[in-house]
């Protein structure tokens, strides 16, 4: 790994998942995508995202649509890990839909997909 690769990973490690999501959604907005993100809310039982059905637990972070294209994305901080539920949802969606898992070091890949 080159010195610049190490520097890129070090910088990417400082980006929170929330900031990473903002970067991706800002790019999506600029490139003409419509998107949605289901945010959790604080309840008396902690943070919860109201959802039902077998895909609910572990559902992807972003659903993006432009023209005839539907893209679903799970966003992770650089060292974040997919949960078992997230892996299951991705595996179920992947045969039917374009699904990606992006981390901050995947910025160029994300932009290429969104172009």
């Amino acid at each position: 790994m080159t010195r610049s690769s190490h520097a890129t990973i070090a910088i990417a490690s400082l980006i929170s998942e929330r900031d990473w999501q903002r970067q991706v959604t800002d790019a999506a907005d600029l490139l003409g995508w419509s998107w949605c993100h289901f945010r959790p809310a604080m309840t008396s039982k902690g943070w919860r995202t109201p959802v039902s059905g077998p895909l609910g637990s572990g559902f992807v972070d972003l659903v993006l649509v432009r023209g005839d294209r539907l893209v679903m994305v799970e966003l992770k901080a650089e060292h974040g890990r997919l949960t078992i539920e997230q892996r299951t949802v991705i595996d179920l969606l992947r045969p039917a839909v374009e699904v990606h898992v992006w981390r901050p070091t995947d910025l160029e890949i994300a932009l290429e997909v969104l172009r």
Side-chain angles (χ1 to χ4, degrees), residues 6-23:
H6 285 293
T8 300
I9 292 171
I11 292 168
S13 296
L14 301 174
I15 299 171
S16 69
E17 192 170 306
R18 179 186 216 172
D19 289 339
W20 174 223
Q21 180 176 311
R22 189 173 311 113
Q23 289 180 16

mmCIF file of all heavy atoms in Angstrom, residues 6-23:
data_model
loop_
_atom_site.group_PDB
_atom_site.id
_atom_site.type_symbol
_atom_site.label_atom_id
_atom_site.label_comp_id
_atom_site.label_asym_id
_atom_site.label_seq_id
_atom_site.Cartn_x
_atom_site.Cartn_y
_atom_site.Cartn_z
ATOM 1 N N HIS A 6 -2.415 5.070 2.436
ATOM 2 C CA HIS A 6 -2.521 5.115 3.898
ATOM 3 C C HIS A 6 -3.144 6.432 4.351
ATOM 4 O O HIS A 6 -3.973 6.452 5.248
ATOM 5 C CB HIS A 6 -1.146 4.948 4.548
ATOM 6 C CG HIS A 6 -0.634 3.549 4.513
ATOM 7 N ND1 HIS A 6 -1.213 2.527 5.218
ATOM 8 C CD2 HIS A 6 0.416 3.001 3.846
ATOM 9 C CE1 HIS A 6 -0.543 1.403 5.005
ATOM 10 N NE2 HIS A 6 0.441 1.665 4.157
ATOM 11 N N ALA A 7 -2.733 7.527 3.712
ATOM 12 C CA ALA A 7 -3.276 8.836 4.073
ATOM 13 C C ALA A 7 -4.763 8.911 3.753
ATOM 14 O O ALA A 7 -5.554 9.443 4.540
ATOM 15 C CB ALA A 7 -2.517 9.938 3.341
ATOM 16 N N THR A 8 -5.158 8.363 2.604
ATOM 17 C CA THR A 8 -6.570 8.360 2.221
ATOM 18 C C THR A 8 -7.401 7.585 3.238
ATOM 19 O O THR A 8 -8.460 8.036 3.665
ATOM 20 C CB THR A 8 -6.748 7.744 0.818
ATOM 21 O OG1 THR A 8 -6.013 8.515 -0.115
ATOM 22 C CG2 THR A 8 -8.204 7.689 0.419
ATOM 23 N N ILE A 9 -6.928 6.421 3.638
ATOM 24 C CA ILE A 9 -7.658 5.613 4.616
ATOM 25 C C ILE A 9 -7.702 6.320 5.962
ATOM 26 O O ILE A 9 -8.727 6.320 6.639
ATOM 27 C CB ILE A 9 -7.035 4.204 4.726
ATOM 28 C CG1 ILE A 9 -7.281 3.440 3.432
ATOM 29 C CG2 ILE A 9 -7.594 3.444 5.925
ATOM 30 C CD1 ILE A 9 -6.543 2.141 3.310
ATOM 31 N N ALA A 10 -6.603 6.957 6.350
ATOM 32 C CA ALA A 10 -6.572 7.682 7.627
ATOM 33 C C ALA A 10 -7.593 8.812 7.629
ATOM 34 O O ALA A 10 -8.333 8.991 8.605
ATOM 35 C CB ALA A 10 -5.169 8.219 7.893
ATOM 36 N N ILE A 11 -7.664 9.557 6.550
ATOM 37 C CA ILE A 11 -8.638 10.648 6.458
ATOM 38 C C ILE A 11 -10.053 10.086 6.424
ATOM 39 O O ILE A 11 -10.944 10.574 7.104
ATOM 40 C CB ILE A 11 -8.352 11.533 5.222
ATOM 41 C CG1 ILE A 11 -7.044 12.295 5.428
ATOM 42 C CG2 ILE A 11 -9.510 12.494 4.951
ATOM 43 C CD1 ILE A 11 -6.505 12.960 4.194
ATOM 44 N N ALA A 12 -10.271 9.033 5.636
ATOM 45 C CA ALA A 12 -11.597 8.418 5.537
ATOM 46 C C ALA A 12 -12.062 7.895 6.891
ATOM 47 O O ALA A 12 -13.257 7.909 7.192
ATOM 48 C CB ALA A 12 -11.585 7.291 4.509
ATOM 49 N N SER A 13 -11.125 7.461 7.714
ATOM 50 C CA SER A 13 -11.469 6.946 9.045
ATOM 51 C C SER A 13 -12.062 8.011 9.937
ATOM 52 O O SER A 13 -12.736 7.697 10.920
ATOM 53 C CB SER A 13 -10.232 6.348 9.707
ATOM 54 O OG SER A 13 -9.778 5.243 8.979
ATOM 55 N N LEU A 14 -11.815 9.267 9.624
ATOM 56 C CA LEU A 14 -12.324 10.376 10.434
ATOM 57 C C LEU A 14 -13.745 10.782 10.059
ATOM 58 O O LEU A 14 -14.379 11.554 10.765
ATOM 59 C CB LEU A 14 -11.399 11.596 10.299
ATOM 60 C CG LEU A 14 -9.950 11.381 10.728
ATOM 61 C CD1 LEU A 14 -9.120 12.608 10.398
ATOM 62 C CD2 LEU A 14 -9.869 11.034 12.201
ATOM 63 N N ILE A 15 -14.254 10.274 8.946
ATOM 64 C CA ILE A 15 -15.585 10.657 8.454
ATOM 65 C C ILE A 15 -16.636 9.771 9.104
ATOM 66 O O ILE A 15 -16.586 8.549 8.994
ATOM 67 C CB ILE A 15 -15.653 10.545 6.918
ATOM 68 C CG1 ILE A 15 -14.623 11.477 6.281
ATOM 69 C CG2 ILE A 15 -17.069 10.852 6.416
ATOM 70 C CD1 ILE A 15 -14.467 11.290 4.791
ATOM 71 N N SER A 16 -17.593 10.402 9.773
ATOM 72 C CA SER A 16 -18.668 9.640 10.409
ATOM 73 C C SER A 16 -19.632 9.128 9.338
ATOM 74 O O SER A 16 -19.676 9.649 8.215
ATOM 75 C CB SER A 16 -19.439 10.513 11.400
ATOM 76 O OG SER A 16 -20.181 11.504 10.696
ATOM 77 N N GLU A 17 -20.414 8.132 9.711
ATOM 78 C CA GLU A 17 -21.408 7.612 8.772
ATOM 79 C C GLU A 17 -22.409 8.703 8.398
ATOM 80 O O GLU A 17 -22.840 8.795 7.252
ATOM 81 C CB GLU A 17 -22.125 6.406 9.384
ATOM 82 C CG GLU A 17 -22.955 5.649 8.383
ATOM 83 C CD GLU A 17 -23.467 4.328 8.926
ATOM 84 O OE1 GLU A 17 -22.656 3.515 9.406
ATOM 85 O OE2 GLU A 17 -24.697 4.123 8.861
ATOM 86 N N ARG A 18 -22.762 9.538 9.354
ATOM 87 C CA ARG A 18 -23.703 10.635 9.093
ATOM 88 C C ARG A 18 -23.140 11.617 8.070
ATOM 89 O O ARG A 18 -23.833 12.025 7.137
ATOM 90 C CB ARG A 18 -23.998 11.345 10.404
ATOM 91 C CG ARG A 18 -24.927 12.501 10.264
ATOM 92 C CD ARG A 18 -25.031 13.220 11.582
ATOM 93 N NE ARG A 18 -26.373 13.694 11.773
ATOM 94 C CZ ARG A 18 -26.817 14.219 12.878
ATOM 95 N NH1 ARG A 18 -26.044 14.316 13.924
ATOM 96 N NH2 ARG A 18 -28.044 14.657 12.951
ATOM 97 N N ASP A 19 -21.858 11.999 8.225
ATOM 98 C CA ASP A 19 -21.230 12.912 7.268
ATOM 99 C C ASP A 19 -21.048 12.252 5.904
ATOM 100 O O ASP A 19 -21.203 12.892 4.866
ATOM 101 C CB ASP A 19 -19.883 13.405 7.795
ATOM 102 C CG ASP A 19 -20.040 14.371 8.956
ATOM 103 O OD1 ASP A 19 -21.129 14.959 9.112
ATOM 104 O OD2 ASP A 19 -19.065 14.534 9.711
ATOM 105 N N TRP A 20 -20.729 10.971 5.906
ATOM 106 C CA TRP A 20 -20.590 10.227 4.660
ATOM 107 C C TRP A 20 -21.925 10.207 3.919
ATOM 108 O O TRP A 20 -21.995 10.418 2.715
ATOM 109 C CB TRP A 20 -20.077 8.829 4.971
ATOM 110 C CG TRP A 20 -19.993 7.854 3.847
ATOM 111 C CD1 TRP A 20 -20.376 6.555 3.898
ATOM 112 C CD2 TRP A 20 -19.487 8.054 2.520
ATOM 113 N NE1 TRP A 20 -20.142 5.938 2.682
ATOM 114 C CE2 TRP A 20 -19.595 6.830 1.821
ATOM 115 C CE3 TRP A 20 -18.954 9.149 1.853
ATOM 116 C CZ2 TRP A 20 -19.193 6.683 0.495
ATOM 117 C CZ3 TRP A 20 -18.559 9.004 0.522
ATOM 118 C CH2 TRP A 20 -18.676 7.788 -0.140
ATOM 119 N N GLN A 21 -23.006 9.965 4.662
ATOM 120 C CA GLN A 21 -24.326 9.972 4.038
ATOM 121 C C GLN A 21 -24.629 11.339 3.443
ATOM 122 O O GLN A 21 -25.169 11.431 2.338
ATOM 123 C CB GLN A 21 -25.402 9.598 5.055
ATOM 124 C CG GLN A 21 -26.793 9.609 4.429
ATOM 125 C CD GLN A 21 -27.847 9.149 5.400
ATOM 126 O OE1 GLN A 21 -27.694 8.116 6.039
ATOM 127 N NE2 GLN A 21 -28.915 9.905 5.506
ATOM 128 N N ARG A 22 -24.281 12.390 4.132
ATOM 129 C CA ARG A 22 -24.515 13.738 3.608
ATOM 130 C C ARG A 22 -23.743 13.950 2.306
ATOM 131 O O ARG A 22 -24.264 14.539 1.349
ATOM 132 C CB ARG A 22 -24.120 14.795 4.648
ATOM 133 C CG ARG A 22 -24.544 16.198 4.220
ATOM 134 C CD ARG A 22 -24.336 17.271 5.281
ATOM 135 N NE ARG A 22 -24.859 16.889 6.576
ATOM 136 C CZ ARG A 22 -24.105 16.645 7.664
ATOM 137 N NH1 ARG A 22 -22.791 16.716 7.590
ATOM 138 N NH2 ARG A 22 -24.652 16.340 8.811
ATOM 139 N N GLN A 23 -22.516 13.468 2.241
ATOM 140 C CA GLN A 23 -21.732 13.600 1.002
ATOM 141 C C GLN A 23 -22.417 12.862 -0.152
ATOM 142 O O GLN A 23 -22.518 13.390 -1.263
ATOM 143 C CB GLN A 23 -20.321 13.046 1.203
ATOM 144 C CG GLN A 23 -19.452 13.901 2.080
ATOM 145 C CD GLN A 23 -18.063 13.313 2.248
ATOM 146 O OE1 GLN A 23 -17.639 12.441 1.499
ATOM 147 N NE2 GLN A 23 -17.352 13.794 3.248
#
